[in-house]
Amino acid sequence: MKALIFAAGLGTRLRPLTDNKPKALVEVAGKTLLQRAIEKVSSAGFEEIVVNIHHFGDQIIDFLERNNNFGLDIRISDERDELLDTGGGILKARPLLEGSEPFLVYNVDVLSSLDLSKLVEWHREHKALATLVVRRRDTSRYLLFDKEMQLSGWTNIKTGEVKMARQKPEVDKFAFSGIHIIEPSVFSLITETGKFPIIPMYLRLAVQNSICGFEDTSDLWMDLGKLEQLKIAEERLSE
């Protein structure tokens, strides 16, 4: 199976650490975020890995070469000319991701104890076009799911904005975890071009397709895109 690791971000919330290197090469507890992400996805059987690059992308290429791609088949999706956001990044990597198996998308700044093999199993059983890993945690923007965990909408509780894909009498709020698994058949349904975010695309597709939520109740999930979170992660990992 194939996996795409999003490593192209500017890492503005991690400045000054990212003033002279990409977010993916910031270290936590002695390992770069990229190495941790690679080890996480490869341990679940994803041995063909695509890494997208933009900010200091040449440093990521050098890092992978120095480490012999960690013994894996790792390809580069080059966004150094233009950062394409989450949806555009997946579309850009299409030639490297297409095949007969679903592919995983994993944010490089995510630290998680989720068993990815269980996610794959759940996704296959539910025959979803895409399965989004979600958690019950505080945030300002939520995905809305019905009782069958079908994506129904999105809301920003700070602004009051709501976007609905399906009108359901009851929905529940979950925070997206930056991990999703997608069927390659999605590419034929993408009408967006260039730079675009993935969530509006999921909302559009959810009208006629199964976009599911998988609730992650594992012990650990952290967004390491902020300096304060890096310090907490150092303590957690040292334990």
Side-chain angles (χ1 to χ4, degrees), residues 78-94:
D78 195 339
E79 296 180 32
R80 281 178 287 185
D81 289 340
E82 182 185 9
L83 187 59
L84 295 173
D85 209 329
T86 47
I90 291 172
L91 185 58
K92 169 79 172 181
R94 175 177 183 171

Side-chain angles (χ1 to χ4, degrees), residues 1 3 16-17 30 41 98-99 118 127 134 155 170 215 220 238:
M1 295 184 291
L17 297 180
V41 302
E98 283 188 310
K118 290 184 179 178
K127 297 180 171 58
V134 295
T155 185
E170 293 183 34
E215 184 179 1
L220 176 65
S238 65

Side-chain angles (χ1 to χ4, degrees), residues 4-15:
L4 169 62
I5 295 176
F6 275 139
L10 298 174
T12 53
R13 296 178 300 166
L14 286 178
R15 288 176 176 162

Side-chain angles (χ1 to χ4, degrees), residues 51-62:
V51 177
N52 76 339
I53 61 171
H54 175 76
H55 183 60
F56 293 113
D58 54 329
Q59 293 186 28
I60 292 177
I61 293 173
D62 291 344

Side-chain angles (χ1 to χ4, degrees), residues 26 34 45-46 53 71 87 94 118 137 141 187 190 193 213:
V26 170
L34 180 57
F46 295 92
I53 61 171
R94 175 177 183 171
K118 290 184 179 178
R137 60 180 175 86
R141 292 170 293 180
F187 288 118
I190 297 177
T193 59

Side-chain angles (χ1 to χ4, degrees), residues 8 11 29 34 41 53 66 77 80 87 94 101 112 121-122 128 132-133 142 147 151-152 154 196 220 223 236:
L34 180 57
V41 302
I53 61 171
R66 288 197 310 273
S77 182
R80 281 178 287 185
R94 175 177 183 171
E101 298 285 337
S112 170
E121 181 181 352
W122 195 95
L132 286 59
V133 177
Y142 288 97
K147 292 181 179 180
L151 179 63
S152 299
W154 170 94
F196 63 95
L220 176 65
D223 170 9
R236 290 288 299 269

Side-chain angles (χ1 to χ4, degrees), residues 7-24 26 33 54-56 83 108-109 195 223-228 230:
L10 298 174
T12 53
R13 296 178 300 166
L14 286 178
R15 288 176 176 162
L17 297 180
T18 51
D19 284 344
N20 56 13
K21 64 182 172 184
K23 173 172 62 176
V26 170
L33 299 184
H54 175 76
H55 183 60
F56 293 113
L83 187 59
V108 77
D109 55 5
K195 179 180 181 178
D223 170 9
L224 301 185
K226 300 177 182 178
L227 288 171
E228 57 268 28
L230 281 180

